């Protein structure tokens, strides 16, 4: 009983509860048909939200005002860069992935440069960066769907024991992110800055270096996400990352990370990503119209955030 | 009687085939609100080719293209107002909204500017609209499906961008045709936004809950994504109606070579932008009798002719058709009958 209580006190548990409930609702609607398939599909699609969500989580944890709005454009450009470098050639996959990583890192670094050197608030800096990146992408990719090499595309669909390999890797990434956040100087610095910037600076935390690394990390994760998305969806395009503006922030918030910064929650990102995909699954299964689907999505997200944020009010 | 005169005048023009001098001093602007997908890129490319040639041939003085970065209405409205001030004689527009730009369009008309909308049309009566008969396209999808799946069965429908006139029209056509073909039943409907990625995601989420599917009726740009979603879930491949995209036709070709897979492909040709250009030029030329609502056929491919068209479509692009002035006159004539 005590254990259950302790579990319920964890802010991330609500996202998993939410995911479970919408899954039950969808399975009840189909009378048990296709429940397993829904989970596999959810795992496959949640991966991409988890990867950018972890990057966004680090940025948001830096404290009020910190957010990376350039992620969708970043993903779009990185997907095009990766596919163009690979050029349908399996032997170029590693180089293409590196190119996507480098592209994402450069975007993250450029974001921080705008914030630090020009003293632009992060929201404005990353949003305007997004416009520039998108324009580069349009002239670079010319709006064409560039196909991934067959081996890379197969890898994106690979499953062991019925579980998508990408999902397993994303779980490893989440574990690594948890270790970095809680067990390294860098991770503790991010949390310290988010809790109180002034106190962190006075305590000797290297604020600028930590912030730079955080934006660069988010950018890099966006880059890798772009390459993987292009593989999974068989082609890079400008709009491939559009969904991840709202999704990357939603998984962070629903997952129990504090929007005010200083409090991060890695498992919650996974729970929230599964929740969002299963929510879409449920609404698609119910066959509701687009308008109702959007309204319900909004209401349910508000509901979950309220439920997850309720007990925190007393702090 | 007037119509006959107009037709014969058009016929004379058609026969002479030469550019009239009347519009050689006129300037036509193209207001476009988005360039981020293959369809729009192809649209711009076709337009550019035809318009540049028209300028070189001194048919018009200028044919400039203005693209705004986002899909936002206010940006495009401001852009149209700028074009009015810059003194263009005609504006060809692919609009972000059917009605939200009507104010700006009315201002342009009042300033004596000819406005021709296509694809994303505007409802303002003073503007011209070049539209594809989407309802008929939706109907034909189901009729083609009936050929490939004579026994009937369950269908999945993939819808386009919600709230657009195009999505409504195609959906209406599909719904009506399914009512006339009781052997088919639409058992699921998802939103694909004419986008491969969105469609694949949406189909992947609904697929586990669906009974066996024999066919997919959709709106173009979503067929390849649907095929990928079925493959990823390990479900048998249904008959998927295609939308003229290169990757869709390429996939169709691979399947056909493998086991004689059959389907049909139809969509609006991005080159319809060039038709809009010629309509603007002809109106400037004094053809005031051109109907304000022009319906043009959609571009379709069948089992027999899609492979021939495939090499001409740029990799990752979409099949197009560029109109000449004569084509435009013929298309207009079809609407005056």
């Amino acid at each position: 009983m005590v254990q259950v209580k302790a579990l319920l006190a964890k802010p991330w548990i609500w996202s998993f509860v939410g995911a479970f409930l919408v899954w039950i609702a969808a399975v009840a609607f189909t009378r048990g048909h296709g429940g397993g398939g829904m989970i596999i599909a959810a795992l496959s699609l949640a991966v991409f939200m988890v990867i950018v969500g972890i990057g966004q989580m680090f940025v948001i944890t830096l404290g009020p005002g910190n957010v990376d709005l350039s992620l969708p454009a970043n993903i779009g450009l990185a997907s095009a860069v990766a596919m163009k470098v690979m050029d349908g050639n399996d032997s170029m996959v590693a180089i293409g992935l590196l190119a996507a990583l480098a592209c994402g890192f450069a975007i993250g670094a450029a974001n921080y440069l705008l914030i630090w050197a020009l003293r632009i608030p992060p929201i404005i800096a990353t949003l305007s960066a997004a416009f520039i990146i998108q324009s580069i992408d349009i002239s670079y990719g010319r709006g064409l769907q560039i196909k991934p090499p067959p081996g890379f595309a197969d890898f994106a669909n690979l499953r062991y024991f019925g579980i998508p390999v990408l999902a397993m890797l994303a779980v490893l990434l989440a574990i690594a992110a948890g270790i970095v956040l809680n067990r390294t100087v860098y991770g503790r610095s991010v949390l310290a800055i988010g809790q109180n910037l002034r106190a962190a600076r006075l305590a000797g935390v290297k604020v600028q270096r930590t912030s730079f690394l955080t934006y660069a990390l988010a950018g890099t994760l966006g880059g890798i996400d772009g390459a993987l998305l292009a593989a999974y969806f068989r082609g890079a395009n400008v709009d491939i990352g559009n969904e991840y503006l709202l999704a990357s922030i939603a998984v962070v918030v629903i997952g129990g990370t504090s929007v005010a910064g200083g409090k991060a929650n890695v498992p919650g990102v996974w729970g929230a990503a599964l929740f969002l995909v299963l929510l879409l699954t449920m609404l698609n299964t119910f066959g509701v119209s687009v308008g109702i689907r959007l309204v319900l999505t909004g209401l349910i997200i508000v509901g979950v955030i309220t439920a997850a944020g309720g007990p925190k009010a007393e702090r | 009687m007037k119509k006959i005169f107009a037709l014969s005048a058009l016929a004379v023009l058609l026969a002479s085939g030469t550019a009239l001098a009347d519009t050689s001093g006129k300037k036509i602007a193209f207001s476009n609100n988005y360039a981020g997908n293959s369809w729009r890129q192809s649209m711009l490319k076709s337009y550019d080719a035809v318009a540049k040639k028209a300028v070189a041939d001194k048919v018009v003085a200028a044919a400039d293209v203005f693209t705004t970065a986002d899909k936002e209405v206010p940006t495009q409205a401001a852009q149209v107002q700028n074009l009015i001030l810059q003194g263009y004689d005609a504006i060809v527009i692919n609009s972000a909204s059917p009605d939200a730009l009507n104010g700006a369009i009315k201002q342009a008309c009042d300033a004596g500017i000819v406005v021709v909308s296509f694809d994303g049309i505007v409802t303002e009566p003073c503007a011209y609209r070049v539209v594809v008969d989407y309802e008929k396209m939706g109907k034909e999808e189901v009729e083609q499906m009936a050929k490939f799946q004579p026994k009937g069965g369950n269908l999945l429908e993939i819808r386009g961008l919600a709230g657009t006139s195009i999505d409504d029209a195609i959906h209406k056509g599909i719904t009506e045709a399914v009512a006339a073909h009781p052997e088919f039943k639409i058992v699921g409907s998802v939103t694909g936004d004419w986008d491969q990625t969105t469609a694949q995601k949406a189909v992947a989420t609904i697929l586990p809950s669906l009974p066996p599917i024999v066919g997919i009726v959709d709106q173009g740009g979503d067929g390849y994504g649907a095929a990928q979603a079925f493959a990823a879930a390990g479900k048998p491949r249904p008959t998927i109606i295609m939308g003229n995209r290169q990757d869709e036709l390429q996939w169709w070709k691979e399947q056909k070579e493998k086991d004689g897979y059959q389907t049909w492909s139809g969509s609006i040709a991005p080159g319809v932008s060039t038709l809009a250009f010629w309509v603007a030029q002809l109106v400037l030329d004094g053809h005031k009798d051109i109907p304000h609502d022009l319906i043009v056929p959609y571009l379709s491919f069948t089992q027999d002719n899609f492979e021939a068209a495939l090499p001409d479509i740029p990799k990752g692009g979409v099949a197009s058709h560029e109109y000449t002035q004569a084509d435009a006159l013929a298309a207009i004539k079809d609407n005056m009958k």
Side-chain angles (χ1 to χ4, degrees), chain A residues 221-284:
Chain A
L221 286 173
I224 193 83
D225 209 38
L228 292 175
L229 276 166
Y232 188 80
F233 291 107
R234 302 289 190 276
N237 70 66
V238 179
D239 285 339
I240 203 163
N242 275 9
E243 187 199 348
Y244 300 99
L245 180 56
L246 181 66
S248 70
I249 299 171
V251 292
V252 173
V253 177
I254 296 174
T257 292
S258 165
V259 192
K263 242 178 119 194
N265 207 312
V266 183
V269 173
W270 251 113
L274 287 174
F275 168 69
L276 285 182
V277 180
L278 284 167
L279 183 62
L280 181 68
T281 305
M282 180 189 84
L283 295 174
N284 273 338

Side-chain angles (χ1 to χ4, degrees), chain B residues 24-335:
Chain B
S24 60
K26 303 284 188 187
K27 296 195 296 177
I28 301 178
F30 179 16
S31 162
N32 172 40
N33 67 327
Y34 183 60
N37 61 30
S38 57
W39 196 92
R40 289 290 175 117
Q41 285 291 331
S42 174
M43 170 194 87
L44 288 169
K45 221 167 133 191
S46 294
Y47 188 89
D48 201 48
V50 169
K52 269 206 180 117
K53 188 168 180 303
V55 173
D57 294 347
K58 303 222 171 4
V59 180
V60 291
D64 306 313
V65 179
F66 301 92
T67 297
T68 56
D70 48 22
K71 299 169 202 166
E72 298 301 323
V73 170
T75 330
Q76 197 174 19
Q79 186 199 45
V80 169
Q81 272 152 354
N82 281 338
L83 296 176
I84 299 172
L85 294 174
Q86 286 169 34
Y88 282 94
D89 301 288
I91 297 173
V92 172
I93 184 168
N94 190 344
S95 162
S97 156
D99 40 25
L101 281 154
N102 280 354
I105 300 294
K106 187 78 180 45
Q107 284 177 20
C109 293
D110 291 346
I113 297 169
V114 174
V115 181
V116 181
S117 63
F118 72 97
D119 185 37
I121 52 163
V122 293
T123 52
E124 170 56 47
C126 74
Y128 292 81
R129 280 159 291 278
V130 176
V131 290
V132 162
D133 196 345
Y134 285 113
E135 217 178 298
K136 196 175 151 205
M137 193 177 106
K139 275 186 189 150
E140 179 154 14
E141 285 189 29
V142 178
E143 277 151 22
Q144 294 287 345
M145 187 65 78
K147 275 198 238 163
F148 305 128
Q149 300 286 352
K151 277 182 280 177
N154 295 322
L155 299 183
L156 172 65
E157 182 184 3
I158 305 178
R159 306 263 317 243
L161 207 55
T164 58
S165 56
I166 299 169
D167 174 55
D168 288 342
I170 298 178
H171 174 67
K172 191 164 168 243
I174 288 175
T175 315
E176 279 173 13
V178 167
H181 285 271
E183 72 270 29
F184 287 121
K185 187 173 170 232
I186 293 184
V187 292
S189 168
V190 290
T191 309
D193 290 351
W194 309 314
D195 173 65
Q196 184 205 318
T197 315
T198 315
Q200 183 174 343
K201 250 177 239 175
V203 174
T205 57
I206 197 176
L207 204 47
S209 65
L210 291 177
I213 298 287
V214 300
I216 297 180
V217 283
D218 47 32
Q219 303 199 351
D222 38 20
Y224 185 76
Q228 292 306 324
F230 272 78
K235 299 248 176 177
R237 173 197 63 188
T239 301
I240 304 170
I241 300 291
M242 295 302 175
N244 297 358
R245 269 65 171 184
Q246 186 264 347
D247 51 6
E248 293 179 338
L249 300 188
Q250 182 65 39
W251 182 83
W252 181 3
K253 186 170 179 244
E254 283 158 18
Q255 304 303 312
K256 184 184 170 185
E257 280 162 7
K258 207 161 70 188
D259 54 14
Y261 184 72
Q262 286 188 55
T263 185
W264 179 85
S265 178
S267 184
I268 176 175
V272 76
S273 59
T274 61
L275 175 59
F277 170 80
W278 287 120
V279 170
Q281 189 266 333
L282 289 166
V283 174
L284 287 177
D285 200 22
H287 295 279
K288 299 287 181 209
D289 45 2
I290 294 175
H292 277 247
D293 291 278
L294 291 164
I295 293 176
V296 294
Y298 46 86
L299 184 63
S300 64
F301 295 102
T302 63
Q303 194 71 14
D304 305 317
N305 66 9
F306 80 96
E307 281 157 313
L310 193 51
D312 297 332
I313 311 172
K315 222 174 170 187
V318 54
S320 191
H321 171 74
E322 279 158 24
Y323 286 79
T324 62
Q325 195 187 36
D327 291 342
L329 280 166
I332 293 165
K333 242 165 113 181
D334 286 341
N335 277 278

Side-chain angles (χ1 to χ4, degrees), chain A residues 70-268:
Chain A
S70 71
L71 279 170
N74 176 353
I75 290 170
L77 180 61
S79 73
V81 167
M83 292 306 108
K84 275 211 169 179
V85 170
M86 291 180 196
D87 196 25
N89 193 340
D90 274 330
S91 61
M92 293 291 283
V93 168
I95 299 171
L97 277 174
L98 278 178
L101 280 176
C103 172
F105 178 85
I107 290 170
N111 276 335
Y112 187 67
L113 203 67
L114 287 176
I115 297 164
W116 169 73
L118 303 178
R119 302 199 176 282
I120 308 174
I123 289 183
I124 309 289
T126 53
L127 193 61
S128 39
F131 279 118
I132 299 170
I133 299 161
Q134 198 178 29
S135 302
I136 295 172
D137 191 11
I138 288 174
S139 63
Y140 176 72
R142 298 253 53 113
L144 300 178
Q145 296 250 355
I146 315 162
K147 291 272 168 277
F152 190 41
D154 289 344
F155 166 75
N157 271 339
L158 198 63
R159 283 181 197 172
Y160 276 129
F161 311 111
I163 314 251
V165 170
L166 280 185
M168 298 182 193
L169 292 176
V171 169
L172 290 181
L173 175 75
I175 293 170
I179 293 170
V180 167
L181 189 71
N182 295 310
R183 298 266 184 273
T184 65
V185 175
Y186 162 71
R188 300 305 258 178
S189 304
V190 171
L191 290 168
I193 294 169
Q195 276 153 19
N196 192 320
L197 178 66
R198 225 173 111 76
R201 184 172 286 145
L202 291 174
V205 172
K206 294 194 172 68
V207 174
Q208 279 170 9
R209 200 176 72 179
T210 307
S211 303
F212 167 78
L213 283 175
T214 305
Y215 277 92
L217 174 72
T220 310
L221 286 173
I224 193 83
D225 209 38
L228 292 175
L229 276 166
Y232 188 80
F233 291 107
R234 302 289 190 276
N237 70 66
V238 179
D239 285 339
I240 203 163
N242 275 9
E243 187 199 348
Y244 300 99
L245 180 56
L246 181 66
S248 70
I249 299 171
V251 292
V252 173
V253 177
I254 296 174
T257 292
S258 165
V259 192
K263 242 178 119 194
N265 207 312
V266 183

